[in-house]
Amino acid sequence: MMMKKPHLFILGLCMISCADAFIGMNWGRLGSQTMLPSMVVDLLLQNNIKEVRVFQQGINVLEAFYNSGIVATTGISNSVLDNYQNLSTVQWWIGEKILKYAQVMEFRYTTIGSNPFSPIYSKKNYLNVVEALINFQEGFRRNNMSHIKATTPHYTDVLTVTGKSKPSEVDFRPDVKDRMVKYVRFLRDEGSPFMMSMAPIHFVQTNGLDLEFGFIENNSTHRIQDINATYTNAFELIYDSLHWALYKAEAADVKIIIGSIGWPTDGYPGANDENAQRFFQSFLPYIASERGTPMRPKQNIDVYINSLADENQIPPQWGSYQRHWGVYKNNGEPKFSVDFSGKGRNVYPSFGKGVIQMPNRWCVFNRKLSDPTLVDAMKTMSCNVSDCSSLEEGGSCSHLSYSDQVSYAFNAYFQTKGQAAQSSSNECDMGGLGVLVSDNPSNGTCEFPVEILSAEFAVEGATFGARNDGGKRLVHGRISASLVMIAVLYIYLYSP
Ligand SMILES: *[C@@H]1O[C@H](CO)[C@@H](O)[C@H](O)[C@H]1NC(C)=O
Ligand SMILES: *[C@@H]1O[C@H](CO)[C@@H](O)[C@H](O)[C@H]1NC(C)=O
Ligand SMILES: *[C@@H]1O[C@H](CO)[C@@H](O)[C@H](O)[C@H]1NC(C)=O
Ligand SMILES: *[C@@H]1O[C@H](CO)[C@@H](O)[C@H](O)[C@H]1NC(C)=O
Ligand SMILES: *[C@@H]1O[C@H](CO)[C@@H](O)[C@H](O)[C@H]1NC(C)=O
Ligand SMILES: *[C@@H]1O[C@H](CO)[C@@H](O)[C@H](O)[C@H]1NC(C)=O
Ligand SMILES: *[C@@H]1O[C@H](CO)[C@@H](O)[C@H](O)[C@H]1NC(C)=O
């Protein structure tokens, strides 16, 4: 509906030559209010991003990509792996999720599970992931679609790499080694890539390294000397460690792509806009230069940036910073300058168009501290329902006084509830402790958000292949019909 520009000319370019490394984007939608799929597609096109990894691929999401020329990677989550141990269900999935769309859009990879062997995401090891993956590739073959490669994103922790490892000494973790060897040999035989997820900030912090080692630029004093190579940053260290593990598994030629890499802006020490900007300013030109690593020089490394926008409903047990990976705030505003072309220019990405901000009103604490237990209970309740990760240690609002933190929590709740627009109850009552204000209570870098209107009704069960297990399904359809009408009218009148 929104896309009036002719984007068709992009289609097909990649079929001629895909030799250049691509810089793509991850797009997840675990937010209380999210941009409409058509807005997101428009945003990607404005930024000339032609590859996207979609984490929740409902029909409404895929439709937005029709004839856009953007190549999509979709997949299934860990929680449904059991269903795909059997080729007939895999064939059904391919029919419903790929073949139906194959005339109007292009698919790159199909991701089978997500970091299935990672202890930080789940205590469960999804050992059946390899069988599901083999079924998917066989399913593609039977449909004459072998060009779509099934692969599985693995997090850094499938390797024994630490902050002190020499890459040549790294291997796959002993408890999953048999599975990994079987897996990478299958990739080798199919010509499929190994997809690695990286979080440099988490790697350096959990390994006791200086933050500088998380950046690609050569500023860290930490050095790892290995045979003929010197490692000065986490990316090359991890990448070459994986190379050595593949080599030992007799799969040295398997291509390595990065399914997820970025820098969060809140919820963790060192997570802020400045550092995220710095990270991309050196990392993207490094990728575009195709310089490669010491073990794999002159490599085209395909990368998916994590991620498009913040997702305030990602379960917090994996670390609050997981909610703050976005290059964009969820209202379509870029947080910092980043040049997706990899030329390292100091440019801001295009703003999201057609996003409608809710009214400028905030719910804050009235500072009546006479019943401290009630205040605390209301704060806890608010944070349980909404996102308070900015209040945590290292977070952008952690410097606030107790009362101001309570205000932050009340507002987070109020906004998550869509400013009570869809209910008759007073969502700013807070047991008599809340008060509505129209002066922005933000404090320095601590921003009190205002929600956006997300006029979307997702079909039940349409959020197939969510990123998370135990997952929270997207809950939409909470905005009243009249607001939707206003939103649609607004988009119609004001979109480019
Ligand atoms: C595969 O799963 C389907 C549906 O659950 C079932 O009907 C069929 O018998 C299974 N086939 C095999 C070979 O296990
Ligand atoms: C795949 O291609 C072969 C040979 O061109 C053809 O016989 C077969 O019917 C095709 N299968 C499908 C599912 O399109
Ligand atoms: C980084 O510094 C090390 C020595 O400190 C040097 O050997 C290496 O060439 C430098 N790398 C780059 C890319 O500047
Ligand atoms: C990192 O090093 C580069 C030169 O290699 C320098 O221009 C830059 O200011 C340094 N950045 C920081 C944060 O030290
Ligand atoms: C380092 O040694 C490895 C293995 O001996 C070799 O493949 C690689 O090309 C060497 N790299 C450099 C930068 O000399
Ligand atoms: C948090 O929310 C969940 C689900 O909404 C609820 O079951 C739980 O009791 C709440 N916990 C607190 C401390 O409010
Ligand atoms: C910012 O927060 C601090 C700590 O809560 C508080 O003392 C200060 O008054 C706040 N400033 C504004 C402008 O609200």
Side-chain angles (χ1 to χ4, degrees):
M1 176 182 69
M2 284 176 59
M3 294 188 309
K4 292 165 195 152
K5 285 177 239 143
H7 297 300
L8 280 165
F9 67 96
I10 304 168
L11 196 67
L13 273 189
C14 211
M15 290 167 174
I16 302 161
S17 160
C18 248
D20 289 345
F22 70 68
I23 293 174
M25 185 65 85
N26 282 351
W27 174 33
R29 309 182 68 224
L30 295 175
S32 51
Q33 265 79 26
T34 56
M35 283 184 268
L36 285 173
S38 55
M39 292 173 187
V40 169
V41 170
D42 193 48
L43 198 60
L44 295 168
L45 290 168
Q46 287 177 52
N47 286 305
N48 209 20
I49 293 171
K50 299 189 188 105
E51 297 275 344
V52 67
R53 219 181 127 197
V54 181
F55 286 89
Q56 291 87 19
Q57 65 230 42
I59 292 167
N60 57 335
V61 169
L62 291 183
E63 268 177 2
F65 286 99
Y66 288 2
N67 297 324
S68 67
I70 295 174
V71 186
T73 284
T74 56
I76 61 165
S77 66
N78 291 339
S79 58
V80 297
L81 286 173
D82 285 346
N83 303 347
Y84 299 100
Q85 303 296 306
N86 163 333
L87 194 56
S88 58
T89 40
V90 168
Q91 291 280 37
W92 168 84
W93 190 93
I94 292 175
E96 288 295 309
K97 306 289 175 179
I98 302 277
L99 292 179
K100 265 191 187 168
Y101 306 97
Q103 298 305 314
V104 282
M105 63 182 292
E106 207 185 325
F107 293 92
R108 173 89 45 215
Y109 304 117
T110 298
T111 53
I112 310 305
S114 180
N115 310 328
F117 299 155
S118 181
I120 73 159
Y121 289 122
S122 163
K123 287 200 177 65
K124 187 172 177 205
N125 273 355
Y126 296 91
L127 293 176
N128 55 6
V129 66
V130 184
E131 283 68 24
L133 182 106
I134 291 170
N135 280 336
F136 269 86
Q137 203 62 64
E138 178 59 23
F140 288 133
R141 189 180 353 270
R142 292 196 184 184
N143 286 291
N144 292 340
M145 301 191 100
S146 295
H147 64 281
I148 300 178
K149 297 298 181 195
T151 188
T152 293
H154 287 288
Y155 186 59
T156 318
D157 59 6
V158 289
L159 300 167
T160 58
V161 62
T162 70
K164 295 202 169 66
S165 311
K166 293 178 192 293
S168 62
E169 290 166 4
V170 171
D171 206 339
F172 293 115
R173 231 171 55 219
D175 62 312
V176 292
K177 174 145 185 200
D178 290 350
R179 307 298 302 172
M180 289 306 292
V181 168
K182 180 176 179 190
Y183 168 67
V184 300
R185 287 181 185 167
F186 179 76
L187 297 182
R188 175 196 65 193
D189 296 343
E190 295 292 330
S192 305
F194 190 108
M195 188 183 266
M196 173 61 93
S197 311
M198 286 193 202
I201 188 172
H202 189 63
F203 182 81
V204 298
Q205 305 256 14
T206 51
N207 282 289
L209 303 177
D210 62 327
L211 200 62
E212 288 301 322
F213 200 74
F215 299 92
I216 207 92
E217 47 199 279
N218 210 355
N219 293 14
S220 173
T221 50
H222 184 59
R223 293 269 179 276
I224 291 173
Q225 189 65 42
D226 186 25
I227 314 180
N228 53 8
T230 307
Y231 292 91
T232 62
N233 63 77
F235 180 82
E236 290 185 304
L237 175 70
I238 296 166
Y239 192 94
D240 276 2
S241 295
L242 175 57
H243 165 83
W244 279 103
L246 290 170
Y247 174 82
K248 290 168 194 170
E250 294 165 24
D253 293 336
V254 168
K255 181 180 161 117
I256 301 172
I257 63 174
I258 310 303
S260 168
I261 191 166
W263 197 278
T265 57
D266 209 339
Y268 209 60
N272 55 49
D273 292 357
E274 294 72 42
N275 281 342
Q277 176 168 323
R278 238 188 95 197
F279 176 77
F280 288 115
Q281 215 151 42
S282 54
F283 180 70
L284 297 183
Y286 162 80
I287 290 298
S289 76
E290 302 184 353
R291 191 174 91 206
T293 63
M295 289 313 300
R296 291 191 174 188
K298 298 195 176 57
Q299 282 292 304
N300 304 333
I301 305 174
D302 296 339
V303 164
Y304 290 96
I305 292 173
N306 198 42
S307 65
L308 184 76
D310 282 352
E311 294 171 77
N312 62 9
Q313 304 282 301
I314 286 181
Q317 63 267 30
W318 299 328
S320 309
Y321 67 101
Q322 302 284 4
R323 295 177 167 183
H324 301 282
W325 287 108
V327 170
Y328 284 90
K329 300 178 189 174
N330 78 344
N331 65 3
E333 206 182 299
K335 295 181 191 168
F336 44 80
S337 81
V338 48
D339 182 358
F340 296 120
S341 75
K343 296 195 180 86
R345 296 167 303 177
N346 187 17
V347 293
Y348 272 82
S350 305
F351 279 65
K353 300 222 172 86
V355 173
I356 308 170
Q357 193 98 15
M358 285 190 165
N360 271 334
R361 42 185 208 159
W362 294 263
C363 176
V364 297
F365 177 36
N366 62 14
R367 295 177 184 270
K368 289 196 182 122
L369 277 161
S370 50
D371 185 350
T373 319
L374 179 64
V375 175
D376 223 46
M378 292 315 290
K379 176 171 180 272
T380 305
M381 184 280 296
S382 298
C383 289
N384 187 25
V385 172
S386 60
D387 175 41
C388 291
S389 51
S390 302
L391 295 178
E392 289 168 22
E393 196 195 331
S396 59
C397 301
S398 55
H399 66 283
L400 296 186
S401 66
Y402 177 74
S403 291
D404 287 342
Q405 295 208 4
V406 174
S407 286
Y408 185 91
F410 285 8
N411 184 60
Y413 177 88
F414 177 67
Q415 303 293 342
T416 298
K417 291 286 176 186
Q419 296 195 355
Q422 71 277 33
S423 77
S424 51
S425 62
N426 177 5
E427 303 285 16
C428 187
D429 180 54
M430 300 292 169
L433 298 171
V435 57
L436 275 176
V437 297
S438 54
D439 284 339
N440 190 340
S442 298
N443 187 320
T445 56
C446 168
E447 191 178 340
F448 282 54
V450 172
E451 271 295 359
I452 59 165
L453 206 55
S454 110
E456 179 177 16
F457 291 90
V459 182
E460 176 66 23
T463 59
F464 208 84
R467 173 187 319 213
N468 314 301
D469 283 313
K472 155 127 184 63
R473 293 260 159 149
L474 294 180
V475 182
H476 289 289
R478 305 193 316 200
I479 312 275
S480 73
S482 58
L483 283 175
V484 173
M485 288 309 294
I486 295 165
V488 168
L489 191 64
Y490 185 97
I491 294 161
Y492 182 73
L493 292 175
Y494 295 102
S495 65

